[in-house]
Amino acid sequence: MLPGKLFFLLVVATLLALIGAWVVARSYRRSMQRLMKAPVAEAQAAGAPDRSPTPPTLARSALFPTLDDNNEAHRRLLFSFIGLTLVIALTRTLLTQFIADGPITLKTVATLGAAYAWPVLPVLAVIGRWSRPRFVGAMLGWLVLAILLLSWRTNENISFAQVVGWMLFDTGLPLIVVTALCLGGATRAVGPWLAPLFVVLSGSSQLGLDLLAAMIEAKSPFIAWLASWMGATTAFTLFAVLPWLIAWWPARALGRWLARGYRERQISELFYLFTAVWTIALVGPALGAIHDLGGWAIVCFAPLLWIPLGAMLMKRFAAQAMIGNPPTLLVLRVFQQDANAQAIFDRVIERWRLSGNTVLIAGTDVADRTIDAEDIFTFLDGRLAERFVSHASDIETRLQQFEFQPDVEGRYRINECYCHDNTWQQALDRLVGISDVALMDLRNFKAKNAGCIHELGVLASAQKIARVVILTNQATERDAAQAAVAGAPADRFVWLDEHDKAGLKPADILAALFPSATVPNAVPQPQ
């Protein structure tokens, strides 16, 4: 009964986390929109004089990473996670064979290790921002290849049907859980962080129902009275839901612990997802071993011990490859162009994070791409308003909270300024002051977009920014945009035009962000 209960618990927690992620993301965007439009007191408005001390400009390095450095960092990231996956898969194979008293030969270990290495696909999918259909197709392809490999390598005592059933059990539940939680927009950003909380809450419901079953078996008169008073269905629901009132406190403490670990860089998003995927993958073997090992079935999770060691090695390799101080990228865009902004974050910013930091003014258009553990649990605690810049001094406080150190795998984080409608201009001035390069998406820009006109003017007059990459398309009113940057240094702005239906290539945009790179398809700036 215990394996079945745990299996059901995981399924229920996944469904609740999926629903919770959608609700939290939707509520988060609504709260952001409301707070951005909230009025600010007259003394705190953007027009108030700024008497706060100006912090020193961030130190610039004479060495700026190149596009080749970025490509090398991307390859190193992929190969590191692939290598760590293979080590964990081989360890799982040896452990499983030892527990089952199965043969431990080179052929057996290599074959099973290859089949068990499927968690590398979710990691590659998250790094590459794969769509759900692409990920499911890759997983199904892996499943077919694994079945064929195992059928070829196993002896005649194991039928093809047994191999198929075994692989479906091993990958079926993980595939559902990973596809639901670790891919997509809001679910990928929010779902994995909520899942442990719903495991705690769902577990409390299971304990409540176990208590009800025990009382029924003992023929408790209280249960008989309760069922006669409110009905059997209501009593059942009461025992399933009431434990949440108690379990909410440890679940909330767990969420705050995760947020604190993320804030202090003890947890990175990518390693958290990697650990979650492998934990899910090892649930099946642990459930299968409960019958023979009892509580000792927890040893099936021993391969997870490789993850801290892998993180330590990846951090060391990333530090050795670091060139000078990481550059900072400022991202600006035409608001209300959600699809364009999200695509830029998926295809360009995710790659840039291997070379340097990213700063921007927060907006609902990219909330699903920028929300992190600290944002989620700050919002759930009802403290999102505390993050907003209400007056000039708040800008410096917010900048001091920016995280400019890389996570253990070498990726830099995205830092946001949450601004009201009448404080964003001051925040922009400071963000430009700490940035080395800027990327501004002006596709579908119109001359009436006064905010973008102001941003262009600030970028044109900035003293230390090295390069500004402007994205345009046929709908962009270029004359107004180019007039706003008149007088800027001749080599500061690089204009990339989306001249056909194929759109702008992410590789071209990424190349344009590195001052030493040759920019393909660049449009000369008019003088």
Side-chain angles (χ1 to χ4, degrees):
M1 290 293 292
L2 184 57
K5 288 181 179 180
L6 294 177
F7 181 90
F8 180 73
L9 172 64
L10 184 58
V11 171
V12 171
T14 300
L15 292 175
L16 291 175
L18 186 62
I19 297 171
W22 183 83
V23 172
V24 168
R26 186 178 179 86
S27 301
Y28 181 83
R29 288 192 293 267
R30 286 181 174 177
S31 295
M32 280 188 63
Q33 193 170 39
R34 174 178 55 81
L35 289 168
M36 286 189 294
K37 295 182 178 299
V40 180
E42 184 69 22
Q44 298 178 341
D50 181 5
R51 296 185 176 89
S52 59
T54 301
T57 303
L58 298 183
R60 300 293 201 269
S61 170
L63 297 176
F64 198 97
T66 67
L67 182 59
D68 289 338
D69 294 327
N70 183 270
N71 292 330
E72 177 61 29
H74 185 246
R75 287 190 294 267
R76 184 173 60 252
L77 181 69
L78 296 180
F79 289 145
S80 296
F81 275 107
I82 291 173
L84 184 55
T85 296
L86 293 176
V87 171
I88 297 175
L90 291 175
T91 304
R92 175 193 168 179
T93 300
L94 293 171
L95 186 60
T96 303
Q97 290 298 98
F98 177 79
I99 293 175
D101 197 23
I104 301 179
T105 64
L106 180 60
K107 181 183 79 170
T108 301
V109 172
T111 302
L112 292 177
Y116 289 152
W118 65 264
V120 72
L121 290 180
V123 176
L124 297 179
V126 170
I127 293 174
R129 296 286 186 165
W130 293 2
S131 64
R132 279 199 178 98
R134 181 182 177 185
F135 171 70
V136 172
M139 279 294 298
L140 292 177
W142 185 288
L143 179 62
V144 171
L145 291 176
I147 290 173
L148 293 177
L149 178 62
L150 292 172
S151 300
W152 175 49
R153 284 299 190 179
T154 53
N155 57 49
E156 62 276 4
N157 295 326
I158 301 178
S159 66
F160 179 77
Q162 288 176 309
V163 172
V164 172
W166 173 37
M167 287 303 299
L168 287 176
F169 173 78
D170 190 79
T171 62
L173 176 62
L175 174 61
I176 295 172
V177 173
V178 171
T179 304
L181 292 183
C182 297
L183 297 175
T187 53
R188 183 206 61 81
V190 182
W193 298 103
L194 296 182
L197 280 66
F198 281 111
V199 168
V200 173
L201 296 174
S202 301
S204 71
S205 293
Q206 186 61 61
L207 291 176
L209 294 176
D210 288 344
L211 175 62
L212 175 62
M215 296 176 71
I216 292 175
E217 186 176 356
K219 298 181 180 179
S220 169
F222 172 75
I223 295 300
W225 170 81
L226 189 66
S228 63
W229 176 56
M230 62 174 54
T233 301
T234 304
F236 180 88
T237 303
L238 182 66
F239 273 81
V241 175
L242 195 60
W244 281 38
L245 297 178
I246 300 175
W248 166 247
W249 301 105
R252 186 180 183 183
L254 175 60
R256 289 175 173 174
W257 177 80
L258 290 172
R260 183 170 61 254
Y262 181 84
R263 180 176 63 252
E264 297 174 357
R265 292 179 35 250
Q266 298 171 351
I267 304 173
S268 78
E269 177 196 23
L270 205 52
F271 260 100
Y272 178 82
L273 290 173
F274 182 74
T275 304
V277 170
W278 263 112
T279 302
I280 294 167
L282 295 174
V283 166
L287 294 178
I290 286 179
H291 178 73
D292 296 325
L293 300 180
W296 286 103
I298 197 172
V299 301
C300 293
F301 293 100
L304 295 177
L305 296 176
W306 284 109
I307 294 179
L309 178 60
M312 182 178 66
L313 292 175
M314 290 174 67
K315 183 177 182 179
R316 178 175 298 180
F317 293 150
Q320 292 174 350
M322 185 181 298
I323 300 177
N325 292 316
T328 297
L329 170 67
L330 171 64
V331 179
L332 302 169
R333 67 275 187 203
V334 178
F335 281 92
Q336 307 300 324
Q337 303 287 331
D338 295 15
N340 284 342
Q342 291 167 7
I344 288 296
F345 267 77
D346 288 345
R347 302 304 174 198
V348 178
I349 305 305
E350 284 299 308
R351 281 293 300 271
W352 168 265
R353 291 177 62 186
L354 292 167
S355 294
N357 298 291
T358 304
V359 297
L360 70 152
I361 294 176
T364 57
D365 52 346
V366 293
D368 292 349
R369 270 60 178 178
T370 60
I371 190 172
D372 57 35
E374 189 175 8
D375 296 331
I376 294 167
F377 295 109
T378 297
F379 169 69
L380 292 178
D381 280 341
R383 296 186 294 108
L384 183 60
E386 298 175 7
R387 287 175 167 260
F388 275 74
V389 172
S390 297
H391 50 82
S393 61
D394 290 343
I395 300 173
E396 310 310 327
T397 301
R398 182 59 183 156
L399 290 182
Q400 291 173 7
Q401 296 170 351
F402 278 10
E403 182 55 73
F404 288 119
Q405 297 299 317
D407 282 320
V408 292
E409 73 275 3
R411 297 198 313 168
Y412 294 85
R413 295 186 175 182
I414 297 173
N415 295 285
E416 301 173 277
C417 257
Y418 295 76
C419 299
H420 299 291
D421 283 349
N422 54 353
T423 59
W424 69 269
Q425 293 182 347
Q426 288 176 304
L428 174 69
D429 291 341
R430 292 297 296 119
L431 292 179
V432 171
I434 66 172
S435 298
D436 300 284
V437 289
L439 173 63
M440 188 170 188
D441 190 349
L442 283 185
R443 286 175 291 179
N444 303 318
F445 161 81
K446 305 299 180 185
K448 64 181 181 181
N449 296 131
C452 291
I453 294 292
H454 175 79
E455 291 169 347
L456 287 167
V458 172
L459 292 172
S461 61
Q463 297 298 314
K464 297 181 180 180
I465 202 160
R467 173 175 285 187
V468 179
V469 179
I470 305 291
L471 310 182
T472 64
N473 61 6
Q474 292 182 350
T476 300
E477 295 185 357
R478 295 181 182 84
D479 292 342
Q482 291 163 354
V485 300
D491 58 348
R492 171 166 296 178
F493 286 85
V494 176
W495 302 75
L496 295 180
D497 185 46
E498 188 179 69
H499 55 275
D500 54 35
K501 294 183 179 179
L504 289 163
K505 296 181 180 179
D508 292 349
I509 301 174
L510 192 66
L513 294 176
F514 293 92
S516 61
T518 300
V519 184
N521 303 322
V523 178
Q525 179 180 345
Q527 301 299 319

